[in-house]
Amino acid sequence: MRVRFAPSPTGRMHLGSGRMALYNYLLARKTGGQFILRVEDTDQRRYVPTAEQELYDGMHWLGLQWDEGPDVGGPYGPYRQSERKEIYQQHAKMLIDSGHAYYCFCAPERLERVRQEQMKRKEQPHYDGTCRALDPAEAAARVAAGERHVVRFKTPKEGTTTVVDEIRGAITVQNSSIDDQIILRSDGLGVYHLAAMVDDHLMKITHVFRGSEWLPSFPLHHLIIRAFGWEPPKFYHLSVFLKPSGKGKMSKREAADLMKDGFSIFVKDFEELGYLPEAVVNWIVLMGWSYDDHTEFFTMQDLIEKFSLDRFNPSPAAINFSKLDHFNGLHIRSLSHEDLARRIKPFFLKAGIQADDARLLRIVPLIQHRIGTLDEAVDMAGFFFRDEVTPPVEDLVIQGLSAAQSAQVARRCLEVLKGLPEINVETAEEPMRALVEALGLKPGQVFGLLRSAVTGQRVSPPLFESMAVIGREKVLERIERAIRLLEGM
RNA sequence: GCCCCCAUCGUCUAGCGGCCCAGGACGUGGCCCUCUCAAGGCCAAAACAGGGGUUCGAGUCCCCUUGGGGGCACCA
């Protein structure tokens, strides 16, 4: 089994591309086949220089390795369409010689005019067939004389064509509705209709995954393949992703708004937003594919084992970011402490916090169940690495008590803690709870004060576990400071 | 305008004629746990777009309507 992911480097790599690449990858790995990366860069005007690198980065980040491609080579190269110009020209010539295609000398301006008139008459715009009737020998002579030309595919004008999409079943269209499309441009480069069909055949592709936007031209592609006398690969047209509301595709403006909320539709953005590639993979694989009626958590290994071709859903899927958050939490919690420590470290560094590995490893168990994205680790646990913390004074005042009274409570706590040779859950929790009771207060009141004093935050990992990591000296120091703050009120 | 595709809870989906007064998940609400916040556990509300057929029987098959998506380039 040979599959291919064939993006055109015309912009940023979005989630839909990621899913497409993922399905190809899974199928190849599951069956022991090859996964080919082919760059469809035949349109030089739309080419974006940075796009190809972003593509590589995005796929690497998702964990998708390809077996053949522009950068790694392979037996069926070149894998960049701009380097296969001669191949398309040869194949266009083959179709002309067999009577399946013809030279066309029509000026684009005239064609545009014809299109306008057809639309005015409420017809489907199509080529009017001027050059289709040309004598082949005469046309060849004009080409030889250097006249500017393109090559068009000659579609049958009668009858019907039936193609099979493996997800949807048979689709039959009237041949009269299939236009004589240009398959070779005047600059000699093949257009998609020719180039992709030729490459898929030459590269021995057995299963094609592509977007459902290709469905309307699917019959044309079938005709082209048959004109060469080839057996077509199996086609799977994947539905598009809709915006979260479910109404329409994501626009540029909406994509920008998304970024403000900590989301994106571009694969490369998810890393710095604090998402795990495992979570993104788990999330997108389930948009249009399912395993059964209840299993949703998958690692890449699971997917390689369980991926199948008969469980695609043909309807468009709206992107659901809260589900991504859910999967991210699930995968964060399934990571080993070492692994999680390694992954959150860059976020501390980016926040200007030099997080040492030993301490990082100690705090990971305290935050693993409390963060939804990796960047949240900094907010949750940054205080562990700071020399001192400055809680807002009002956070130190116990609800229902005055500042002075709160300071008194803090003093009593300090006394108890000072009497301990070490502060951790085993040594401190019991005496502190006893103190709380003796004071006639609730645990939440006293522990809240201490939490603010020691961590500088209202929300933190559990108090005594946190104190243990911070260390006795620093804990006492921070409580003393809190008392001074309260007394200064 | 014409052509093609799609249609189950708000969202992702299971369902391939009787197992379905429709199952799972996210989200939402409630309860439990609890030093904060989470995580976890339990419970709840929430859908077969509408109308015709076919059939003993339809969410499942067919047709129409409606809604949504895509396409109609010397772009992919």
Side-chain angles (χ1 to χ4, degrees):
Chain A
M1 187 169 288
R2 288 173 60 80
V3 292
R4 109 272 124 124
F5 173 51
S8 59
T10 54
R12 303 202 55 192
M13 181 187 190
H14 50 81
L15 289 172
S17 306
R19 181 185 61 163
M20 201 78 73
L22 174 63
Y23 287 162
N24 277 289
Y25 171 84
L26 292 175
L27 194 61
R29 289 297 167 271
K30 184 191 174 74
T31 62
Q34 290 83 44
F35 174 35
I36 291 99
L37 177 64
R38 185 176 72 221
V39 176
E40 309 215 324
D41 58 347
T42 54
D43 187 357
Q44 63 280 59
R45 287 175 332 204
R46 294 207 308 156
Y47 184 76
V48 176
T50 54
E52 196 171 315
Q53 190 55 49
E54 178 166 340
L55 206 62
Y56 293 159
D57 293 345
M59 289 179 65
H60 283 311
W61 184 70
L62 288 173
L64 310 177
Q65 241 68 265
W66 51 99
D67 306 303
E68 300 170 26
D71 56 335
V72 296
Y76 299 92
Y79 293 93
R80 212 176 262 117
Q81 288 189 328
S82 57
E83 296 165 17
R84 312 183 111 243
K85 192 171 173 177
E86 294 74 25
I87 295 173
Y88 307 133
Q89 289 174 342
Q90 280 167 17
H91 282 81
K93 186 71 169 48
M94 284 164 64
L95 290 180
I96 288 173
D97 291 345
S98 66
H100 290 287
Y102 58 92
Y103 293 114
C104 174
F105 307 92
C106 294
E109 301 76 42
R110 188 186 77 79
L111 262 17
E112 183 53 35
R113 219 160 44 234
V114 169
R115 235 193 314 274
Q116 293 302 330
E117 283 164 21
Q118 288 167 336
M119 299 225 284
K120 212 179 292 172
R121 273 181 273 132
K122 301 193 189 301
E123 288 171 18
Q124 181 164 341
H126 63 281
Y127 178 58
D128 65 0
T130 304
C131 295
R132 185 178 164 116
L134 250 38
D135 173 57
E138 188 195 324
R142 287 170 70 176
V143 168
E147 192 171 339
R148 193 174 174 81
H149 65 278
V150 298
V151 175
R152 284 183 187 274
F153 186 71
K154 190 188 278 183
T155 55
K157 289 293 136 203
E158 271 146 32
T160 61
T161 294
T162 297
V163 290
V164 178
D165 170 59
E166 301 297 328
I167 301 176
R168 280 160 263 255
I171 298 165
T172 300
V173 298
Q174 297 292 326
N175 286 336
S176 57
S177 74
I178 309 174
D179 202 4
D180 278 8
Q181 291 287 344
I182 290 172
I183 55 175
L184 199 75
R185 279 192 278 254
S186 53
D187 64 6
L189 262 159
V191 305
Y192 177 90
H193 305 308
L194 201 236
M197 297 314 114
V198 167
D199 288 346
D200 286 341
H201 177 259
L202 261 25
M203 294 178 183
K204 297 193 158 52
I205 302 302
T206 58
H207 299 252
V208 172
F209 294 96
R210 36 147 53 165
S212 62
E213 66 267 23
W214 292 113
L215 231 28
S217 49
F218 188 17
L220 195 232
H221 298 155
H222 178 85
L223 255 20
I224 291 174
I225 291 168
R226 296 304 301 163
F228 281 113
W230 301 333
E231 272 309 308
K234 289 193 185 304
F235 282 90
Y236 296 78
H237 293 90
L238 269 20
S239 58
V240 294
F241 284 164
L242 271 25
K243 53 188 170 188
S245 65
K247 304 278 183 213
K249 286 203 301 186
M250 194 74 60
S251 72
K252 273 219 174 78
R253 198 207 135 76
E254 286 158 333
D257 284 347
L258 226 44
M259 202 64 187
K260 289 202 299 259
D261 296 332
F263 296 119
S264 175
I265 53 166
F266 301 114
V267 174
K268 193 168 173 280
D269 293 338
F270 286 92
E271 179 172 16
E272 61 174 300
L273 288 173
Y275 290 98
L276 260 31
E278 290 93 329
V280 174
V281 163
N282 199 154
W283 179 48
I284 58 178
V285 80
L286 254 13
M287 301 183 74
W289 178 85
S290 63
Y291 175 64
D292 59 19
D293 62 349
H294 65 280
T295 313
E296 293 214 310
F297 181 88
F298 298 101
T299 63
M300 192 68 96
Q301 265 316 309
D302 294 335
L303 289 172
I304 289 170
E305 261 169 58
K306 294 172 171 163
F307 190 67
S308 60
L309 287 171
D310 54 0
R311 297 194 61 91
F312 290 111
N313 185 322
S315 41
I319 297 174
N320 183 349
F321 289 101
S322 63
K323 194 125 187 179
L324 168 62
D325 285 338
H326 170 250
F327 280 125
N328 209 48
L330 245 37
H331 280 92
I332 282 177
R333 276 167 253 140
S334 77
L335 254 29
S336 70
H337 293 165
E338 292 73 17
D339 201 355
L340 219 205
R342 187 172 58 75
R343 302 211 208 194
I344 58 176
K345 191 171 181 179
F347 289 89
F348 283 98
L349 262 29
K350 205 168 72 181
I353 296 170
Q354 288 296 323
D356 63 286
D357 294 345
R359 178 159 282 204
L360 222 36
L361 204 52
R362 285 193 73 190
I363 65 168
V364 157
L366 303 184
I367 63 169
Q368 187 160 28
H369 290 262
R370 276 171 246 270
I371 57 174
T373 51
L374 297 176
D375 59 308
E376 287 170 13
V378 177
D379 289 337
M380 183 64 74
F383 68 88
F384 283 115
F385 300 98
R386 297 198 182 95
D387 280 335
E388 57 177 30
V389 297
T390 35
V393 204
E394 58 271 25
D395 286 358
L396 295 169
V397 180
I398 292 173
Q399 186 77 11
L401 300 187
S402 67
Q405 289 171 314
S406 299
Q408 261 314 309
V409 171
R411 281 203 183 284
R412 297 289 299 273
C413 292
L414 189 62
E415 282 167 25
V416 173
L417 292 173
K418 265 188 170 160
L420 303 171
E422 212 180 312
I423 302 175
N424 56 49
V425 184
E426 287 71 35
T427 60
E429 182 158 6
E430 221 177 274
M432 287 306 290
R433 284 189 186 278
L435 172 64
V436 166
E437 202 165 327
L439 290 168
L441 294 167
K442 298 241 185 286
Q445 295 176 293
V446 178
F447 293 172
L449 185 165
L450 290 177
R451 161 167 290 105
S452 287
V454 169
T455 70
Q457 317 178 160
R458 299 180 88 111
V459 172
S460 82
L463 186 57
F464 299 107
E465 283 88 335
S466 298
M467 286 180 168
V469 174
I470 293 166
R472 183 174 182 276
E473 295 315 308
K474 199 151 263 179
V475 167
L476 298 179
E477 198 178 287
R478 289 183 182 182
I479 294 174
E480 278 165 2
R481 176 141 186 268
I483 292 169
R484 285 199 300 277
L485 282 168
L486 278 167
E487 287 175 338
M489 265 186 101

